Amino acid sequence: MEPLERYRPIIDDFEAFLEVCQRPLGNAVRVNTIKASADRAVATLEEEGVGFERADWNPNVIRLETDSPGSTWSSFHGFTHGQEEVSAVPPVVLDPRPGERVWDACAAPGGKATQLAALMDDRGTVVANDSNLGRLSALRFNAERLGATALAVTNQDARNYSLKPFDFDAFDRSLVDAPCSCEGTIRKNPDTLDGWTEEHMHSVAGVQKGILRRAVQATREGGTIVYSTCTFAPEENEAVVNHVLETEDCRVREFDLALEHSPGVTEWDGEAYDESLERAARIYPHQNDTGGFFVAKLEVSA
Ligand SMILES: C[S@@+](CC[C@H](N)C(=O)[O-])C[C@H]1O[C@@H](n2cnc3c(N)ncnc32)[C@H](O)[C@@H]1O
């Protein structure tokens, strides 16, 4: 828990935050609307006798009273996909439309890429990329199980992603669900902070800046980008977006989010960030009894 102490100045009710971070996280699934409506998925869970509660903010997110959400009939049929509740937020904020071209720059193992395809009624193209070849097999397995046919898989370093294989020169929307120090997953992986170092945090922030810059360049004018991480460090969140505001033509946009959250920070460790970063969302574990996430929405300037 020690690395989390550095966030005491920016987290309201810090003791409640620490207390919840020490409690294990419950299981949640997302309804895969490519294969089933939320009502059908819920009926399947009821028939199987699995207890559940639907999330207020999103009827397609269901909290399950089972330790093995991947072993239910509803999961076997591809009606549901095990996905942490807050992990379902970034695709909803990106808000892709059927028929669009959408890039998921860091997609494996595919929870959000398949959610993007579902939000698009499986029409259009989701290019699901990841630089880690080993993780792509899980992504392909999930796409097949969930019936996401609008999804193409690529294996490139997103920092210098080439659009040459495509017959278009920009995406309509891009998601950068970046590699990060994963502090917000502490409830699921209690040893996640064991190897925490400032050096690692700064090194991963360099990768994040490179990927987000490329996403802005690869998205059409007026197009939308969502940047997300499952970590609390402003160095990996607001500082990354701030860097991209200074180097690329884009701006931070407001968005509605029905989950309790805090605004992005505009000052940290002697650094000041653009005021518009207040429009980002910091979702802390004690606010909704979930994991932690950071989400920012950007628009490429016309
Ligand atoms: C937070 S995970 C993505 C989770 C995924 N979006 C999901 O919802 O299932 C970050 C991913 O970024 C990938 N990654 C790391 N560096 C990358 C790079 N330079 N280019 C593309 N992907 C990268 C990692 O292999 C990892 O799979």
Side-chain angles (χ1 to χ4, degrees):
M1 289 295 147
E2 207 190 306
L4 298 183
E5 272 297 326
R6 67 198 292 269
Y7 307 123
R8 191 178 280 276
I10 56 169
I11 298 182
D12 285 343
D13 204 353
F14 191 73
E15 296 310 325
F17 164 80
L18 278 186
E19 192 267 313
V20 170
C21 284
Q22 289 169 66
R23 260 198 272 138
L25 187 65
N27 283 302
V29 292
R30 169 179 59 81
V31 176
N32 172 34
T33 52
I34 296 173
K35 286 208 166 174
S37 65
D39 288 346
R40 186 166 183 204
V42 158
T44 311
L45 291 168
E46 274 170 349
E47 261 175 53
E48 213 178 339
V50 179
F52 64 87
E53 183 194 11
R54 285 168 85 161
D56 291 339
W57 71 279
N58 186 334
N60 290 327
V61 172
I62 303 176
R63 294 177 169 200
L64 290 193
E65 291 162 20
T66 170
D67 288 338
S68 46
S71 308
T72 62
W73 276 109
S74 122
S75 169
F76 179 76
H77 287 305
F79 294 174
T80 54
H81 179 66
Q83 189 169 345
E84 221 270 271
E85 185 167 343
V86 274
S87 160
V89 170
V92 171
V93 175
L94 188 64
D95 193 21
R97 308 294 157 91
E100 287 187 331
R101 293 171 178 138
V102 178
W103 185 35
D104 187 345
C106 307
K112 297 181 193 66
T114 52
Q115 185 182 358
L116 291 169
L119 288 167
M120 293 160 65
D121 294 335
D122 202 28
R123 285 187 284 132
T125 310
V126 178
V127 177
N129 175 71
D130 204 281
S131 62
N132 185 328
L133 187 61
R135 285 169 66 91
L136 285 182
S137 50
L139 168 65
R140 293 170 66 113
F141 172 79
N142 283 326
E144 276 171 33
R145 188 176 61 82
L146 300 173
T149 61
L151 199 141
V153 178
T154 63
N155 176 216
Q156 293 190 41
D157 185 327
R159 287 172 289 185
N160 35 46
Y161 195 76
S162 167
L163 291 166
K164 274 198 189 134
F166 306 109
D167 62 358
F168 55 86
D169 57 12
F171 293 100
D172 296 301
R173 296 174 203 255
S174 299
L175 173 64
V176 177
D177 184 43
C180 67
S181 55
C182 298
E183 296 160 335
T185 66
I186 176 96
R187 299 183 66 188
K188 203 162 67 178
N189 309 309
D191 54 0
T192 198
L193 299 177
D194 290 357
W196 192 97
T197 63
E198 233 174 287
E199 290 72 31
H200 176 256
M201 180 186 65
H202 287 297
S203 129
V204 84
V207 176
Q208 293 161 341
K209 287 173 185 166
I211 299 174
L212 187 54
R213 283 192 69 177
R214 184 66 193 121
V216 175
Q217 295 160 1
T219 306
R220 67 168 168 80
E221 286 183 3
T224 306
I225 296 148
V226 164
Y227 176 74
S228 59
T229 72
C230 55
T231 212
F232 307 119
E235 291 88 343
E236 296 181 54
N237 293 324
E238 289 87 349
V240 171
V241 178
N242 194 65
H243 169 80
V244 173
L245 290 178
E246 286 171 353
T247 49
E248 303 291 336
D249 272 344
C250 58
R251 64 186 185 97
V252 183
R253 283 187 50 187
E254 289 194 54
F255 58 90
D256 292 328
L257 180 58
L259 274 173
E260 196 185 328
H261 59 280
S262 301
V265 298
T266 53
E267 279 179 23
W268 173 252
D269 199 23
E271 301 276 322
Y273 308 132
D274 193 280
E275 288 297 317
S276 65
L277 273 153
E278 277 193 358
R279 297 173 182 162
R282 298 184 142 260
I283 308 169
Y284 294 119
H286 61 303
Q287 293 176 316
N288 309 279
D289 193 14
T290 61
F293 242 79
F294 172 87
V295 186
K297 185 172 192 172
L298 306 179
E299 182 179 292
V300 181
S301 305

